PDB file of all heavy atoms in Angstrom:
ATOM      1  N   ASP A 170      97.658 101.209  99.913  1.00  0.00           N
ATOM      2  CA  ASP A 170      99.094 101.037  99.711  1.00  0.00           C
ATOM      3  C   ASP A 170      99.741 100.626 100.968  1.00  0.00           C
ATOM      4  O   ASP A 170     100.049 101.436 101.888  1.00  0.00           O
ATOM      5  CB  ASP A 170      99.672 102.344  99.151  1.00  0.00           C
ATOM      6  CG  ASP A 170     101.097 102.252  98.732  1.00  0.00           C
ATOM      7  OD1 ASP A 170     101.880 101.545  99.359  1.00  0.00           O
ATOM      8  OD2 ASP A 170     101.489 102.949  97.750  1.00  0.00           O
ATOM      9  N   ILE A 171     100.098  99.304 101.139  1.00  0.00           N
ATOM     10  CA  ILE A 171     100.500  98.791 102.422  1.00  0.00           C
ATOM     11  C   ILE A 171     101.833  99.378 102.861  1.00  0.00           C
ATOM     12  O   ILE A 171     101.981  99.834 104.047  1.00  0.00           O
ATOM     13  CB  ILE A 171     100.634  97.246 102.347  1.00  0.00           C
ATOM     14  CG1 ILE A 171      99.200  96.604 102.148  1.00  0.00           C
ATOM     15  CG2 ILE A 171     101.216  96.715 103.664  1.00  0.00           C
ATOM     16  CD1 ILE A 171      99.190  95.128 101.955  1.00  0.00           C
ATOM     17  N   PRO A 172     102.865  99.539 102.042  1.00  0.00           N
ATOM     18  CA  PRO A 172     104.122 100.173 102.475  1.00  0.00           C
ATOM     19  C   PRO A 172     103.865 101.551 102.933  1.00  0.00           C
ATOM     20  O   PRO A 172     104.465 102.033 103.936  1.00  0.00           O
ATOM     21  CB  PRO A 172     105.092 100.080 101.254  1.00  0.00           C
ATOM     22  CG  PRO A 172     104.533  98.909 100.457  1.00  0.00           C
ATOM     23  CD  PRO A 172     103.054  98.897 100.686  1.00  0.00           C
ATOM     24  N   ALA A 173     103.087 102.302 102.228  1.00  0.00           N
ATOM     25  CA  ALA A 173     102.785 103.769 102.631  1.00  0.00           C
ATOM     26  C   ALA A 173     102.040 103.764 103.889  1.00  0.00           C
ATOM     27  O   ALA A 173     102.353 104.618 104.726  1.00  0.00           O
ATOM     28  CB  ALA A 173     102.024 104.456 101.500  1.00  0.00           C
ATOM     29  N   LEU A 174     101.046 102.874 104.118  1.00  0.00           N
ATOM     30  CA  LEU A 174     100.344 102.879 105.390  1.00  0.00           C
ATOM     31  C   LEU A 174     101.248 102.485 106.563  1.00  0.00           C
ATOM     32  O   LEU A 174     101.098 102.970 107.646  1.00  0.00           O
ATOM     33  CB  LEU A 174      99.156 101.903 105.201  1.00  0.00           C
ATOM     34  CG  LEU A 174      98.053 102.343 104.284  1.00  0.00           C
ATOM     35  CD1 LEU A 174      97.065 101.266 103.922  1.00  0.00           C
ATOM     36  CD2 LEU A 174      97.307 103.518 104.892  1.00  0.00           C
ATOM     37  N   ALA A 175     102.078 101.500 106.319  1.00  0.00           N
ATOM     38  CA  ALA A 175     103.022 101.159 107.342  1.00  0.00           C
ATOM     39  C   ALA A 175     104.006 102.218 107.733  1.00  0.00           C
ATOM     40  O   ALA A 175     104.208 102.456 108.898  1.00  0.00           O
ATOM     41  CB  ALA A 175     103.902  99.921 106.839  1.00  0.00           C
ATOM     42  N   ASP A 176     104.397 103.035 106.705  1.00  0.00           N
ATOM     43  CA  ASP A 176     105.211 104.239 107.051  1.00  0.00           C
ATOM     44  C   ASP A 176     104.458 105.253 107.935  1.00  0.00           C
ATOM     45  O   ASP A 176     105.032 105.773 108.891  1.00  0.00           O
ATOM     46  CB  ASP A 176     105.707 104.866 105.824  1.00  0.00           C
ATOM     47  CG  ASP A 176     106.598 106.007 105.997  1.00  0.00           C
ATOM     48  OD1 ASP A 176     107.681 105.862 106.513  1.00  0.00           O
ATOM     49  OD2 ASP A 176     106.205 107.212 105.705  1.00  0.00           O
ATOM     50  N   ILE A 177     103.157 105.449 107.591  1.00  0.00           N
ATOM     51  CA  ILE A 177     102.372 106.387 108.412  1.00  0.00           C
ATOM     52  C   ILE A 177     102.187 105.857 109.804  1.00  0.00           C
ATOM     53  O   ILE A 177     102.358 106.626 110.807  1.00  0.00           O
ATOM     54  CB  ILE A 177     100.995 106.516 107.740  1.00  0.00           C
ATOM     55  CG1 ILE A 177     101.086 107.276 106.437  1.00  0.00           C
ATOM     56  CG2 ILE A 177      99.991 107.249 108.715  1.00  0.00           C
ATOM     57  CD1 ILE A 177      99.800 107.295 105.662  1.00  0.00           C
ATOM     58  N   ALA A 178     101.917 104.607 109.989  1.00  0.00           N
ATOM     59  CA  ALA A 178     101.649 103.985 111.277  1.00  0.00           C
ATOM     60  C   ALA A 178     103.021 104.107 112.090  1.00  0.00           C
ATOM     61  O   ALA A 178     102.990 104.530 113.280  1.00  0.00           O
ATOM     62  CB  ALA A 178     101.272 102.551 111.162  1.00  0.00           C
ATOM     63  N   HIS A 179     104.133 103.680 111.513  1.00  0.00           N
ATOM     64  CA  HIS A 179     105.357 103.588 112.305  1.00  0.00           C
ATOM     65  C   HIS A 179     105.887 104.995 112.653  1.00  0.00           C
ATOM     66  O   HIS A 179     106.473 105.147 113.718  1.00  0.00           O
ATOM     67  CB  HIS A 179     106.355 102.650 111.572  1.00  0.00           C
ATOM     68  CG  HIS A 179     105.833 101.299 111.344  1.00  0.00           C
ATOM     69  ND1 HIS A 179     106.296 100.462 110.317  1.00  0.00           N
ATOM     70  CD2 HIS A 179     104.958 100.564 112.070  1.00  0.00           C
ATOM     71  CE1 HIS A 179     105.719  99.362 110.373  1.00  0.00           C
ATOM     72  NE2 HIS A 179     104.894  99.317 111.442  1.00  0.00           N
ATOM     73  N   THR A 180     105.686 105.872 111.738  1.00  0.00           N
ATOM     74  CA  THR A 180     106.136 107.268 111.967  1.00  0.00           C
ATOM     75  C   THR A 180     105.407 107.831 113.156  1.00  0.00           C
ATOM     76  O   THR A 180     105.957 108.731 113.927  1.00  0.00           O
ATOM     77  CB  THR A 180     105.940 108.186 110.746  1.00  0.00           C
ATOM     78  OG1 THR A 180     106.700 107.610 109.694  1.00  0.00           O
ATOM     79  CG2 THR A 180     106.338 109.635 111.008  1.00  0.00           C
ATOM     80  N   SER A 181     104.182 107.482 113.383  1.00  0.00           N
ATOM     81  CA  SER A 181     103.394 108.015 114.489  1.00  0.00           C
ATOM     82  C   SER A 181     103.468 107.132 115.722  1.00  0.00           C
ATOM     83  O   SER A 181     102.651 107.412 116.657  1.00  0.00           O
ATOM     84  CB  SER A 181     101.868 108.137 114.045  1.00  0.00           C
ATOM     85  OG  SER A 181     101.370 106.930 113.665  1.00  0.00           O
ATOM     86  N   GLY A 182     104.192 106.043 115.672  1.00  0.00           N
ATOM     87  CA  GLY A 182     104.331 105.189 116.865  1.00  0.00           C
ATOM     88  C   GLY A 182     103.175 104.227 116.956  1.00  0.00           C
ATOM     89  O   GLY A 182     102.967 103.634 118.031  1.00  0.00           O
ATOM     90  N   ALA A 183     102.451 104.017 115.857  1.00  0.00           N
ATOM     91  CA  ALA A 183     101.385 103.009 115.902  1.00  0.00           C
ATOM     92  C   ALA A 183     101.788 101.724 115.168  1.00  0.00           C
ATOM     93  O   ALA A 183     102.893 101.630 114.539  1.00  0.00           O
ATOM     94  CB  ALA A 183     100.149 103.591 115.223  1.00  0.00           C
ATOM     95  N   LYS A 184     100.908 100.779 115.235  1.00  0.00           N
ATOM     96  CA  LYS A 184     101.091  99.518 114.473  1.00  0.00           C
ATOM     97  C   LYS A 184     100.084  99.422 113.272  1.00  0.00           C
ATOM     98  O   LYS A 184      99.015 100.059 113.382  1.00  0.00           O
ATOM     99  CB  LYS A 184     100.826  98.334 115.388  1.00  0.00           C
ATOM    100  CG  LYS A 184     101.673  98.258 116.648  1.00  0.00           C
ATOM    101  CD  LYS A 184     103.117  97.798 116.325  1.00  0.00           C
ATOM    102  CE  LYS A 184     103.955  97.551 117.584  1.00  0.00           C
ATOM    103  NZ  LYS A 184     105.365  97.201 117.226  1.00  0.00           N
ATOM    104  N   LEU A 185     100.482  98.662 112.315  1.00  0.00           N
ATOM    105  CA  LEU A 185      99.614  98.424 111.171  1.00  0.00           C
ATOM    106  C   LEU A 185      99.176  97.018 111.128  1.00  0.00           C
ATOM    107  O   LEU A 185      99.959  96.092 111.072  1.00  0.00           O
ATOM    108  CB  LEU A 185     100.335  98.763 109.825  1.00  0.00           C
ATOM    109  CG  LEU A 185      99.521  98.472 108.585  1.00  0.00           C
ATOM    110  CD1 LEU A 185      98.288  99.308 108.420  1.00  0.00           C
ATOM    111  CD2 LEU A 185     100.402  98.599 107.321  1.00  0.00           C
ATOM    112  N   VAL A 186      97.874  96.807 111.116  1.00  0.00           N
ATOM    113  CA  VAL A 186      97.171  95.449 110.965  1.00  0.00           C
ATOM    114  C   VAL A 186      96.502  95.445 109.613  1.00  0.00           C
ATOM    115  O   VAL A 186      95.777  96.361 109.310  1.00  0.00           O
ATOM    116  CB  VAL A 186      96.217  95.200 112.146  1.00  0.00           C
ATOM    117  CG1 VAL A 186      95.512  93.841 111.867  1.00  0.00           C
ATOM    118  CG2 VAL A 186      96.838  95.203 113.492  1.00  0.00           C
ATOM    119  N   VAL A 187      96.790  94.383 108.869  1.00  0.00           N
ATOM    120  CA  VAL A 187      96.205  94.251 107.551  1.00  0.00           C
ATOM    121  C   VAL A 187      95.292  92.924 107.596  1.00  0.00           C
ATOM    122  O   VAL A 187      95.744  91.887 107.778  1.00  0.00           O
ATOM    123  CB  VAL A 187      97.174  94.181 106.375  1.00  0.00           C
ATOM    124  CG1 VAL A 187      96.501  93.903 105.084  1.00  0.00           C
ATOM    125  CG2 VAL A 187      98.020  95.443 106.365  1.00  0.00           C
ATOM    126  N   ASP A 188      93.962  93.187 107.267  1.00  0.00           N
ATOM    127  CA  ASP A 188      93.057  92.084 107.058  1.00  0.00           C
ATOM    128  C   ASP A 188      93.281  91.620 105.620  1.00  0.00           C
ATOM    129  O   ASP A 188      93.016  92.226 104.684  1.00  0.00           O
ATOM    130  CB  ASP A 188      91.622  92.512 107.282  1.00  0.00           C
ATOM    131  CG  ASP A 188      90.680  91.308 107.188  1.00  0.00           C
ATOM    132  OD1 ASP A 188      90.923  90.402 106.436  1.00  0.00           O
ATOM    133  OD2 ASP A 188      89.585  91.425 107.749  1.00  0.00           O
ATOM    134  N   ASN A 189      93.905  90.421 105.471  1.00  0.00           N
ATOM    135  CA  ASN A 189      94.386  89.852 104.183  1.00  0.00           C
ATOM    136  C   ASN A 189      93.384  88.837 103.664  1.00  0.00           C
ATOM    137  O   ASN A 189      93.746  88.056 102.772  1.00  0.00           O
ATOM    138  CB  ASN A 189      95.714  89.273 104.272  1.00  0.00           C
ATOM    139  CG  ASN A 189      96.459  89.312 102.983  1.00  0.00           C
ATOM    140  OD1 ASN A 189      96.272  90.113 102.060  1.00  0.00           O
ATOM    141  ND2 ASN A 189      97.358  88.353 102.846  1.00  0.00           N
ATOM    142  N   THR A 190      92.149  88.846 104.232  1.00  0.00           N
ATOM    143  CA  THR A 190      91.210  87.761 103.861  1.00  0.00           C
ATOM    144  C   THR A 190      90.882  87.672 102.309  1.00  0.00           C
ATOM    145  O   THR A 190      90.832  86.573 101.732  1.00  0.00           O
ATOM    146  CB  THR A 190      89.880  87.928 104.650  1.00  0.00           C
ATOM    147  OG1 THR A 190      90.185  87.824 106.038  1.00  0.00           O
ATOM    148  CG2 THR A 190      88.844  86.905 104.323  1.00  0.00           C
ATOM    149  N   PHE A 191      90.587  88.848 101.728  1.00  0.00           N
ATOM    150  CA  PHE A 191      90.225  88.888 100.367  1.00  0.00           C
ATOM    151  C   PHE A 191      91.398  88.485  99.493  1.00  0.00           C
ATOM    152  O   PHE A 191      91.193  87.737  98.407  1.00  0.00           O
ATOM    153  CB  PHE A 191      89.747  90.286  99.940  1.00  0.00           C
ATOM    154  CG  PHE A 191      88.203  90.446 100.139  1.00  0.00           C
ATOM    155  CD1 PHE A 191      87.482  89.776 101.049  1.00  0.00           C
ATOM    156  CD2 PHE A 191      87.523  91.379  99.341  1.00  0.00           C
ATOM    157  CE1 PHE A 191      86.165  89.965 101.228  1.00  0.00           C
ATOM    158  CE2 PHE A 191      86.177  91.561  99.468  1.00  0.00           C
ATOM    159  CZ  PHE A 191      85.489  90.894 100.439  1.00  0.00           C
ATOM    160  N   ALA A 192      92.570  88.965  99.736  1.00  0.00           N
ATOM    161  CA  ALA A 192      93.751  88.773  98.859  1.00  0.00           C
ATOM    162  C   ALA A 192      94.321  87.370  99.094  1.00  0.00           C
ATOM    163  O   ALA A 192      94.784  86.723  98.151  1.00  0.00           O
ATOM    164  CB  ALA A 192      94.783  89.802  99.129  1.00  0.00           C
TER     165      ALA A 192
END
Side-chain angles (χ1 to χ4, degrees):
D170 186 325
I171 296 173
L174 291 167
D176 182 65
I177 292 171
H179 298 155
T180 299
S181 63
K184 302 286 189 183
L185 175 65
V186 177
V187 176
D188 185 332
N189 204 30
T190 298
F191 270 27

